[in-house]
């Protein structure tokens, strides 16, 4: 076909007149047009011999659209599927196009759509398809399969839009972290005193710990507690990852709030009423109360079933002795805490309610088999997991008929086989404090931490003692470097931790003030009178 010097261009094309030195691929690049589509829009043009003064038509489509030249057999439905968009979006971009009467050679603008799991990438100078594939950990073949607008894999144009796989930013973050930073994220530690001291400052700045736990001996007043948490956040400014600021705030006798605050009812009192809506509202008030200071994780609710009247540690901390009541009210309290923007940690898996020894001072042992656990103790935990539990605290309890050698917190049978595989829990697993008597009276604390991580724990809680904290950190690091703990095991835990922090949008932003009176009014409203007034207990 002879050159068409005076070619007439369709309305959705730009008319361009060839000048001296023009090359067709340079024109395509200049106008952000696929070379193949440019040729299709200009039948008869010799791409290697352009004549000065010759007219060519440049397909013009809106931003984030690609040009499609209709071929024989094309339908709008097929085009929509191929380009991952709806027919309606194509029609909206092409006014006047008859969806049922496409003409061969007709040019339409197709909005660039990307399938689920892909995002739009803009081609930059120097990009090649193989380099983009490497950058996004995929293959050229995969890129071609989701980018039908690429007709020549060897030719990309600056500004061209491609669909590329979404990169998991957390995985990228983990790849950039040192082993010390990863191990730090797997630690929540405590300290003595009302103000930040050199030891906790070192834990944050040198060892990059992922979280802090505060007890009553860290709390003197509202202004002091707020200043303490703000200072902890400021100290953590050298790290890229925000802190878990954690606390045991169950309501009732286990509370860490300053004396200016009213106390919330015991779980036992809530269980006597058995009102799920009240449980939810109590959870929200707990979250609002502690979040006002900057706490973002609460070791609550208690999902233990108070089945043993001789139990020295649970008692009125449980919602009752009936697994259905504990499940119903515990799940609602958990949801209330979540609704308040705080991470709830359900505890004490697999159930501390039928023990006669306080794990703070010794190692409790029970003789229940798995059938008994599944029919009783595990019911509230399974309900919580099925309702979106974020984190589970595992107790220091020896289950003789399941794992007679290791307490639950150090047992792969309990954590990986039962909690993860049988109950399908994919969230964060936290040990109970491993400075408790149940561990330190029976195990070397460093070896206990190693066993806990290999069993499937993500976070080791070391609530007391600078020397013990250092011992655990060094033990974990040496275990990884010697191959006792696989590096993949560490990365799995760090991924869950960072994912949870991301989901709750944690930051180290300071909080300026707290309205104590407003929170107390809400506590009074939920308390419904004198029957909920209970003493606080130091635990």
């Amino acid at each position: 076909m002879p050159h068409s010097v005076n070619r007439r261009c369709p309305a959705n094309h730009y008319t361009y007149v060839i000048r001296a030195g023009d090359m067709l691929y340079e024109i395509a690049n200049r106008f952000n047009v696929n070379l193949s589509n440019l040729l299709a829009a200009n039948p008869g043009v010799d791409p290697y011999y352009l004549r000065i003064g010759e007219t060519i038509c440049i397909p013009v489509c809106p931003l984030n659209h690609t040009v499609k030249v209709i071929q024989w057999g094309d339908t709008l439905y097929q085009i929509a599927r191929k380009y991952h968009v709806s027919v309606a979006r194509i029609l909206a971009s092409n006014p006047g196009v008859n969806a049922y009467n496409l003409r061969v050679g007709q040019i339409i603008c197709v909005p660039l759509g990307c399938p689920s799991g892909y995002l739009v990438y803009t081609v930059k100078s120097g990009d090649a398809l193989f380099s983009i594939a490497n950058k996004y950990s995929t293959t050229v073949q995969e890129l071609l399969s989701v980018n039908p607008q690429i007709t020549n894999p060897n030719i990309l144009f600056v500004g061209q839009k491609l669909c590329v796989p979404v990169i998991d930013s957390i995985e990228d973050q983990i790849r950039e972290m040192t082993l010390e930073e990863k191990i730090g994220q797997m630690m929540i530690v405590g300290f003595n005193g009302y103000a930040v001291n050199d030891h906790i400052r070192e834990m944050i700045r040198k060892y990059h710990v992922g979280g802090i736990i505060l007890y009553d001996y860290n709390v003197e007043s509202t202004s002091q507690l707020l200043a303490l948490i703000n200072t902890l956040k400021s100290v953590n400014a050298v790290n890229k990852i925000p802190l878990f600021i954690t606390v045991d705030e169950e309501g009732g006798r286990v509370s860490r709030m300053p004396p200016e605050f009213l106390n919330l009812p015991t779980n036992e009192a809530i269980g006597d009423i058995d009102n799920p809506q009240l449980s939810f509202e109590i959870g929200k008030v707990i979250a609002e109360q502690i979040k006002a200071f900057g706490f973002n994780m609460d070791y609550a609710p208690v999902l233990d079933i108070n089945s043993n009247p001789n139990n020295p540690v649970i008692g009125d901390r449980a919602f009752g002795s009936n697994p259905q009541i504990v499940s119903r009210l515990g799940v609602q309290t958990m949801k209330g805490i979540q609704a308040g923007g705080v991470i709830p940690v359900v505890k004490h898996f697999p159930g501390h309610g039928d023990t006669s020894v306080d794990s703070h001072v010794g190692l409790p042992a029970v003789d229940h088999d798995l059938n008994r656990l599944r029919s009783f103790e595990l019911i509230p935990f399974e309900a919580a997991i099925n309702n979106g539990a974020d984190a589970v605290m595992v107790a220091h309890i020896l289950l003789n008929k399941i794992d007679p050698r290791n307490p639950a917190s150090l047992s792969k049978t309990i954590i990986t086989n039962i909690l993860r595989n049988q109950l399908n829990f994919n969230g964060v697993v936290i040990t109970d404090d491993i400075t408790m008597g149940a561990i330190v009276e029976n195990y070397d604390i460093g070896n206990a931490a190693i066993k806990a991580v290999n069993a499937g724990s993500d976070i080791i809680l070391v609530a007391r003692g600078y020397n013990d904290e250092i011992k655990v950190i060094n033990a974990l690091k040496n275990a990884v470097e010697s191959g006792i703990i696989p590096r993949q095991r560490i990365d799995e835990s760090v991924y869950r931790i960072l994912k949870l922090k991301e989901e709750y949008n944690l930051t180290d932003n300071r909080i300026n003030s707290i309205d104590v009176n407003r929170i107390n009014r809400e506590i009074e409203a939920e308390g419904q009178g004198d029957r909920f007034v209970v003493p606080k207990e130091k635990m």
Side-chain angles (χ1 to χ4, degrees):
M1 182 181 294
H3 288 291
S4 179
V5 175
N6 298 312
R7 181 178 287 104
R8 295 174 61 102
C9 295
N12 63 336
H13 285 58
Y14 173 79
T15 301
Y16 178 80
V17 179
I18 301 297
R19 291 171 290 195
D22 275 342
M23 303 287 290
L24 199 63
Y25 79 90
E26 291 176 341
I27 296 171
N29 194 22
R30 191 183 315 157
F31 287 92
N32 190 26
V33 176
N34 186 294
L35 182 59
S36 298
N37 288 337
L38 184 58
L39 287 170
N42 294 276
V45 166
D46 185 343
Y48 304 105
Y49 181 61
L50 300 180
R51 299 171 63 182
I52 296 173
E54 180 180 14
T55 297
I56 63 170
C57 300
I58 312 293
V60 177
C61 285
L63 188 66
N64 293 335
H65 286 60
T66 188
V67 173
K68 166 65 179 170
V69 180
I70 301 301
Q71 308 294 324
W72 186 88
D74 277 345
T75 68
L76 219 54
Y77 173 74
Q78 291 171 334
I79 295 169
R81 287 193 63 185
K82 184 176 182 181
Y83 286 85
H84 312 290
V85 294
S86 66
V87 169
R89 282 192 65 196
I90 296 177
L91 289 173
S93 297
N94 296 273
V97 166
N98 187 333
Y100 304 103
N101 184 25
L102 299 180
R103 303 184 306 277
V104 173
Q106 183 180 4
I107 294 175
I108 62 173
C109 297
V110 181
L112 181 62
C114 292
S116 177
Y118 290 79
L119 53 80
V120 175
Y121 174 79
T122 303
V123 174
K124 301 175 180 62
S125 177
D127 276 343
L129 208 57
F130 76 88
S131 64
I132 296 173
N134 289 338
K135 180 177 181 180
Y136 287 88
S137 301
T138 186
T139 64
V140 169
Q141 288 72 23
E142 182 182 356
L143 288 181
L144 290 172
S145 70
V146 295
N147 291 281
Q149 74 275 20
I150 301 176
T151 55
N152 187 336
N154 298 313
I155 300 177
L156 295 179
F157 306 104
V158 173
Q160 188 176 1
K161 308 296 182 181
L162 307 180
C163 294
V164 296
V166 173
I167 289 183
D168 192 324
S169 61
I170 294 177
E171 289 185 354
D172 275 357
Q173 189 175 8
I174 291 172
R175 279 192 286 268
E176 296 293 324
M177 292 171 69
T178 65
L179 176 60
E180 290 79 8
E181 288 172 327
K182 293 176 183 179
I183 289 173
Q185 284 301 306
M186 297 174 66
M187 300 282 293
I188 291 178
V189 301
F191 63 101
N192 292 322
Y194 298 139
V196 169
N197 57 33
D198 289 341
H199 285 167
I200 196 62
R201 188 176 284 108
E202 181 183 15
M203 280 292 128
I204 295 171
R205 290 183 171 172
K206 179 178 178 180
Y207 294 103
H208 317 287
V209 293
I212 308 294
I213 182 170
L214 299 182
Y215 283 95
D216 48 14
Y217 46 73
N218 301 117
V219 179
E220 183 180 36
S221 67
T222 294
S223 58
Q224 168 272 327
L225 179 57
L226 180 60
L228 172 60
I229 293 176
N230 280 336
T231 304
L232 289 168
K233 292 176 177 179
S234 297
V235 172
N236 193 55
V238 298
N239 296 315
K240 297 178 181 179
I241 303 169
L243 290 167
F244 286 130
I245 308 291
T246 77
V247 67
D248 287 289
E249 189 59 35
E250 302 173 7
R253 60 190 169 102
V254 180
S255 173
R256 315 299 185 211
M257 290 296 96
E260 295 94 327
F261 285 87
L262 297 176
N263 202 20
L264 284 159
T266 64
N267 286 337
E268 181 181 61
I270 296 170
D272 289 342
I273 296 173
D274 191 15
N275 182 335
Q277 182 62 34
L278 173 63
S279 294
F280 179 85
E281 295 301 330
I282 291 289
K284 280 187 67 177
V285 170
I286 289 175
E288 181 175 3
Q289 186 181 37
I290 67 176
K291 191 174 183 180
F293 288 96
F295 289 106
N296 49 42
M297 177 180 278
D298 186 15
Y299 302 114
V302 172
L303 296 186
D304 304 302
I305 303 167
N306 192 35
S307 58
N308 184 346
N310 297 319
N311 191 313
V313 68
I314 299 301
D316 62 4
R317 298 168 66 194
F319 290 101
S321 58
N322 181 293
Q324 281 69 42
I325 290 178
V326 173
S327 299
R328 181 163 57 246
L329 303 185
V331 165
Q332 289 305 312
T333 302
M334 178 189 78
K335 288 184 174 182
I337 295 171
Q338 289 173 326
V342 171
I343 302 165
V345 181
V346 299
K347 63 184 184 184
H348 306 83
F349 186 87
H352 211 310
D354 195 20
T355 59
S356 55
V357 174
D358 183 349
S359 55
H360 291 86
V361 296
L363 179 59
V366 293
D367 292 324
H368 300 322
D369 61 15
L370 183 56
N371 289 333
R372 153 68 189 228
L373 291 182
R374 291 301 299 262
S375 65
F376 196 77
E377 279 84 2
L378 296 185
I379 289 175
F381 293 99
E382 188 165 15
I385 290 166
N386 291 339
N387 281 274
D390 296 297
V392 172
M393 175 177 280
V394 182
H396 307 311
I397 302 172
L398 191 66
L399 298 166
N400 287 319
K401 292 185 177 178
I402 297 176
D403 186 347
R405 300 180 62 184
N406 303 294
S409 54
L410 314 184
S411 171
K412 189 170 185 177
T413 301
I414 301 294
I415 298 174
T416 297
N417 294 355
I418 297 176
L419 179 58
R420 293 252 189 243
N421 296 339
Q422 294 187 29
L423 300 187
N424 298 314
F425 179 64
N426 297 314
V428 171
V429 172
I430 304 174
T431 69
D432 208 342
D433 174 19
I434 66 167
T435 67
M436 289 163 59
I439 298 299
V440 296
E441 296 298 326
N442 298 281
Y443 303 90
D444 172 82
I445 197 169
N447 290 337
I450 293 169
K451 288 176 71 72
V453 170
N454 274 332
S457 293
D458 300 308
I459 293 177
I460 308 297
L461 175 58
V462 192
R464 296 170 177 85
Y466 170 78
N467 291 334
D468 283 337
E469 292 161 2
I470 294 293
K471 193 178 295 184
V472 168
I473 290 170
N474 288 337
L476 292 178
K477 181 181 177 182
N478 292 336
V480 174
E481 290 176 339
S482 63
I484 296 172
I485 298 177
R487 290 181 182 267
Q488 183 182 356
R489 173 78 274 285
I490 297 293
D491 287 352
E492 289 170 359
S493 288
V494 176
Y495 185 93
R496 294 189 191 103
I497 292 163
L498 299 187
K499 187 73 172 176
L500 185 58
K501 290 184 175 183
E502 180 183 76
E503 287 174 354
Y504 276 80
N505 193 29
L506 299 196
T507 71
D508 284 329
N509 295 340
R510 294 172 57 87
I511 295 174
N512 295 323
S513 63
I514 297 175
D515 188 343
V516 176
N517 292 330
R518 180 181 60 79
I519 296 174
N520 277 338
R521 287 193 298 270
E522 293 189 16
I523 294 173
E524 281 185 317
E526 298 303 335
Q528 301 181 20
D530 296 339
R531 63 188 172 190
F532 280 159
V533 176
V534 292
K536 295 182 182 181
E537 178 179 294
K538 294 182 178 181
M539 292 191 66

